[in-house]
């Protein structure tokens, strides 16, 4: 987090104004969320959390020996039928509302406990409130790198307000096929939104790089959860990533499970096979992407690759 508290306050106010005709994500609903829950996310202006704590299941470049300061945010701007965190992301169960002072206290507590960073999971739909919490925390000395762990369906207007606020972008690259994105996650024009988002993220923070302490302080790390039968349109995803930068770190994950409502869709009603993972890695190499991980194992030409283990997906 690079901006001082006074500038964070300004960004928080500017972001909050966008609640009045919300365009914080690529749905661009244009609804007034100050009047109550509205739009695709069915959210107002409050922040609800499902939990927080030190997490060691992220990429080691985010964890080191200290753990990532994970904050699980309730609600979501997507509606993925196979959402791993549907209980709190979509069904909104087990959530607790947090005020600005409470958010700041939580962020500061994670820092005191030794977290390597502040990892905000599924934050896009409540961005203004989170920036306000960061501003208050910064007034009390908070200085951890901020990780924006999102679904890849952000608006350029929202991302520009995060310039200087976020140090590490951790977006999902869910789909390269728009028809599938609409069918399985309820979002229109996903590929174009992903392209625009990745370009802006990379402009702001550059390529993910791990320092001598084993931790990344800035950069973009893209995650793609490989779906059965290539239904996600990985070739389209790879084109988008390569267009932005062939040096972007791309982590291909095999952890897909047919949970939530996935059994209603035959094409994703099974787990991913090993040959499908091999094909995805081969396609990424063929696309010229230099820094590829497959479940934490480096497949590309880059050095100092951040390995990965199981993590909660930013749905």
């Amino acid at each position: 987090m690079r901006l001082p508290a006074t500038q964070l306050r300004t960004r928080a106010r500017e972001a909050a104004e966008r609640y009045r005709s919300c365009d914080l994500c690529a749905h661009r609903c244009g609804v007034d969320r100050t009047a109550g829950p509205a739009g695709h996310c069915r959210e107002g202006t409050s922040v609800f959390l499902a939990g927080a704590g030190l997490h060691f299941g992220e990429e080691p470049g985010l964890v080191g020996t200290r753990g990532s300061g994970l904050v699980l945010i309730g609600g979501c701007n997507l509606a993925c039928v196979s959402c791993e965190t549907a209980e709190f992301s979509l069904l909104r169960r087990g959530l607790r509302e947090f005020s600005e002072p409470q958010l700041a206290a939580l962020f500061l507590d994670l820092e005191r406990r030794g977290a390597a960073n502040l990892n905000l999971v599924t934050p896009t739909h409540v961005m203004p409130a989170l920036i306000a919490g960061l501003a208050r925390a910064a007034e009390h000395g908070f200085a951890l790198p901020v990780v924006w762990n999102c679904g890849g369906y952000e608006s350029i207007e929202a991302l520009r307000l995060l310039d200087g606020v976020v140090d590490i972008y951790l977006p999902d690259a869910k789909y390269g096929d728009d028809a599938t994105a609409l069918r399985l996650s309820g979002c229109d024009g996903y590929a174009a939104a992903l392209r625009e988002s990745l370009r802006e993220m990379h402009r702001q923070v550059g390529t993910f790089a791990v320092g001598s302490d084993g931790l990344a302080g800035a950069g973009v790390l893209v995650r793609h959860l490989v779906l059965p039968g290539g239904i996600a349109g990985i070739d389209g995803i790879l084109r988008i990533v390569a267009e932005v930068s062939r040096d972007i770190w791309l982590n291909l994950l095999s952890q897909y499970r047919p949970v939530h409502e996935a059994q209603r869709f035959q094409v994703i009603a099974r787990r991913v096979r090993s040959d499908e993972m091999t094909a995805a890695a081969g396609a990424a190499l063929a696309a010229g992407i230099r820094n590829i991980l497959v479940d934490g194992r480096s497949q590309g030409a880059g050095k100092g690759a951040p390995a990965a283990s199981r993590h909660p997906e930013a749905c």
Side-chain angles (χ1 to χ4, degrees), residues 38-119:
H40 280 80
C41 66
R42 300 303 303 164
E43 295 285 340
T45 60
S46 299
V47 176
F48 294 85
L49 302 186
L54 298 181
H55 183 60
F56 291 85
E58 304 283 51
E59 289 82 355
L62 297 174
V63 171
T65 60
R66 298 156 53 187
S68 182
L70 204 73
V71 177
L72 297 174
I73 298 162
C76 190
N77 63 318
L78 301 180
C80 302
V81 298
S82 58
C83 179
E84 286 189 331
T85 59
E87 281 293 301
F88 62 84
S89 293
L90 302 180
L91 302 178
R92 299 181 56 78
R93 294 172 181 162
L95 300 179
R96 175 188 164 196
E97 186 173 2
F98 271 65
S99 65
E100 180 187 308
Q102 289 172 320
L103 284 174
L106 174 63
F107 300 163
L108 289 163
D109 181 61
L110 289 170
E111 185 173 37
R112 281 192 294 268
R113 291 169 61 188
N117 46 61
L118 179 67
N119 190 342

Side-chain angles (χ1 to χ4, degrees), residues 11 127 131 148 158-166 169 204:
R11 291 290 179 86
M127 183 189 83
I131 299 177
W148 202 257
L159 288 173
R160 285 173 179 161
L161 286 171
L162 293 174
D163 192 0
V165 177
V166 170
Y169 282 104
Q204 290 181 21

Side-chain angles (χ1 to χ4, degrees), residues 5-208:
T6 53
Q7 292 184 45
L8 287 170
R9 281 286 177 201
T10 300
R11 291 290 179 86
R13 288 193 295 270
E14 292 173 352
E17 279 299 309
R18 310 203 82 86
Y19 275 145
R20 299 186 182 280
S21 181
C22 191
D23 62 355
L24 294 176
C25 79
H27 282 302
R28 301 180 186 278
C29 295
V31 295
D32 183 2
R33 288 173 52 190
T34 66
H40 280 80
C41 66
R42 300 303 303 164
E43 295 285 340
T45 60
S46 299
V47 176
F48 294 85
L49 302 186
L54 298 181
H55 183 60
F56 291 85
E58 304 283 51
E59 289 82 355
L62 297 174
V63 171
T65 60
R66 298 156 53 187
S68 182
L70 204 73
V71 177
L72 297 174
I73 298 162
C76 190
N77 63 318
L78 301 180
C80 302
V81 298
S82 58
C83 179
E84 286 189 331
T85 59
E87 281 293 301
F88 62 84
S89 293
L90 302 180
L91 302 178
R92 299 181 56 78
R93 294 172 181 162
L95 300 179
R96 175 188 164 196
E97 186 173 2
F98 271 65
S99 65
E100 180 187 308
Q102 289 172 320
L103 284 174
L106 174 63
F107 300 163
L108 289 163
D109 181 61
L110 289 170
E111 185 173 37
R112 281 192 294 268
R113 291 169 61 188
N117 46 61
L118 179 67
N119 190 342
L120 302 171
V121 182
T122 320
T124 296
H125 59 293
V126 289
M127 183 189 83
L130 292 174
I131 299 177
L134 286 169
R136 183 177 288 257
E139 290 167 356
H140 295 275
F142 180 82
L144 286 181
V146 174
V147 180
W148 202 257
N149 192 338
C150 60
Y153 196 61
E154 283 58 56
S155 73
I156 193 67
E157 294 86 356
L159 288 173
R160 285 173 179 161
L161 286 171
L162 293 174
D163 192 0
V165 177
V166 170
D167 301 281
I168 298 170
Y169 282 104
L170 196 60
D172 291 330
K174 290 180 177 291
Y175 306 103
D177 178 79
D178 284 345
T180 302
L182 185 59
R183 181 185 181 197
L184 299 184
S185 291
C187 50
D188 195 20
Y190 183 90
L194 177 65
R195 178 181 290 106
E196 188 173 51
S197 293
L198 287 184
R199 188 176 291 121
E200 176 62 17
M201 291 174 185
H202 190 261
R203 182 194 69 79
Q204 290 181 21
V205 299
T207 301
F208 192 83

Side-chain angles (χ1 to χ4, degrees), residues 213-245:
D213 61 354
L215 291 170
V220 180
L221 173 61
V222 178
R223 291 166 168 170
H224 172 61
L225 185 65
V226 179
L227 298 183
I231 188 65
I234 190 170
D235 288 342
I237 292 170
L238 297 174
R239 281 194 299 272
I240 291 169
V241 172
E243 285 172 10
V244 175
S245 172

Side-chain angles (χ1 to χ4, degrees), residues 255-275:
Q255 70 187 49
Y256 173 76
R257 297 176 299 138
V259 296
H260 191 40
E261 298 180 345
Q263 293 291 343
R264 295 196 296 109
F265 300 82
Q266 184 176 356
V267 68
I268 56 169
R270 63 169 175 85
R271 301 193 71 146
V272 173
R273 300 191 307 263
S274 60
D275 64 297

